[in-house]
Amino acid sequence: MHRFFISKDNIKKGNIIITGDDVSHISRVLRIKPGDDIVVCDGQGMDYKVVIENIDKYAVRTRILESRASDGEPGINAVLFQGIPKSTKMDVIIQKCTEIGVRRIVPVETARTVVRLSSEKDGIKKVERWQRIAEEAAKQSGRGIIPKIDMPRSFYESLAEAAELDISLIPYELEKNNNLKMSIHGKKAESIGIFIGPEGGYEDFEIKSALDKGVVPVTLGPRILRTETSGSAVLSCIMYEFDEMQY
């Protein structure tokens, strides 16, 4: 069943109104008609099965048939602090991590980040695009929320944010002893941060700064993962360990 996100403000007295780009997508692309059922999500973890009553140029008007908590939301609040990569790799990272269950993605500028944003306007433009990618991935994967894509920030600002989370990890190719399983197995946590470096990884002084803030370096084994692979690999392991990959 087709799935759409709306603002909670669009829910009134047993009815939901869909506006914006989804109107054209529903009527012209999907060719959904009055009388058809769809699923609408308020972006805060509630799903609504609705029947379409009317479609015009500006809005799709629906009536709520039933409501329930979204099945697609993990209990663990996972935050990805992703070193900004080159090209369109960030698109893939956002898409796949959204599918797996990330709650928030923070683009991070590190010492080895090649891509530097030229202005605040450039940053806003990129984040708006990344947010659209997250929304499409959330629709496709049955999520109950759309992961928030933050404005890019420095590595040190990200470390300060990570200090507020229950657990924070930073995969590091020179770490040989502390593996990912050791760091999360049997842990009680409601929130977890994952630091992934850009192409080229982290400088030694960045790892030291992370250690000083309580972020734990971990090894992912003998294979070197690309930046666009690492986040989804670590996130998958976390979801499995916290029993978020079963009904």
Side-chain angles (χ1 to χ4, degrees), residues 68-83:
R68 58 184 175 84
S70 302
D71 291 332
E73 278 314 300
I76 187 79
N77 174 15
V79 181
L80 175 66
F81 297 93
Q82 174 66 51

Side-chain angles (χ1 to χ4, degrees), residues 147-186:
K148 183 178 185 298
I149 314 299
D150 285 17
M151 284 292 291
R153 62 202 61 187
S154 74
F155 180 66
Y156 299 101
E157 289 173 320
S158 299
L159 288 179
E161 284 194 38
E164 303 298 319
L165 303 176
D166 295 333
I167 301 173
S168 286
L169 308 172
I170 185 165
Y172 183 46
E173 64 271 18
L174 297 183
E175 176 60 44
K176 302 300 181 186
N177 300 315
N178 190 40
N179 62 44
L180 178 59
K181 185 173 182 177
M182 291 167 53
S183 300
I184 60 176
H185 182 65

Side-chain angles (χ1 to χ4, degrees), residues 108-232:
V108 181
E109 294 182 343
T110 71
R112 294 182 182 175
T113 299
V114 174
V115 178
R116 300 288 176 178
L117 302 177
S118 58
S119 64
E120 183 179 357
K121 184 178 180 181
D122 182 32
I124 292 172
K125 187 176 179 180
K126 283 185 180 295
V127 169
E128 287 176 346
R129 180 171 170 275
W130 291 336
Q131 192 68 65
R132 287 195 297 272
I133 292 170
E135 180 174 351
E136 288 304 313
K139 288 178 183 177
Q140 179 272 324
S141 56
R143 293 289 303 273
I145 68 165
I146 303 169
K148 183 178 185 298
I149 314 299
D150 285 17
M151 284 292 291
R153 62 202 61 187
S154 74
F155 180 66
Y156 299 101
E157 289 173 320
S158 299
L159 288 179
E161 284 194 38
E164 303 298 319
L165 303 176
D166 295 333
I167 301 173
S168 286
L169 308 172
I170 185 165
Y172 183 46
E173 64 271 18
L174 297 183
E175 176 60 44
K176 302 300 181 186
N177 300 315
N178 190 40
N179 62 44
L180 178 59
K181 185 173 182 177
M182 291 167 53
S183 300
I184 60 176
H185 182 65
K187 296 291 196 302
K188 301 290 185 182
E190 295 182 359
S191 59
I192 188 163
I194 307 160
F195 279 82
I196 302 296
E199 299 91 344
Y202 290 106
E203 295 283 3
D204 290 345
F205 67 85
E206 289 176 315
I207 298 299
K208 184 180 183 304
S209 297
L211 273 166
D212 291 343
K213 291 292 186 180
V215 180
V216 180
V218 296
T219 175
L220 300 182
R223 293 161 298 282
I224 303 299
L225 303 184
R226 293 177 180 270
T227 186
E228 65 269 32
T229 307
S230 300
S232 56

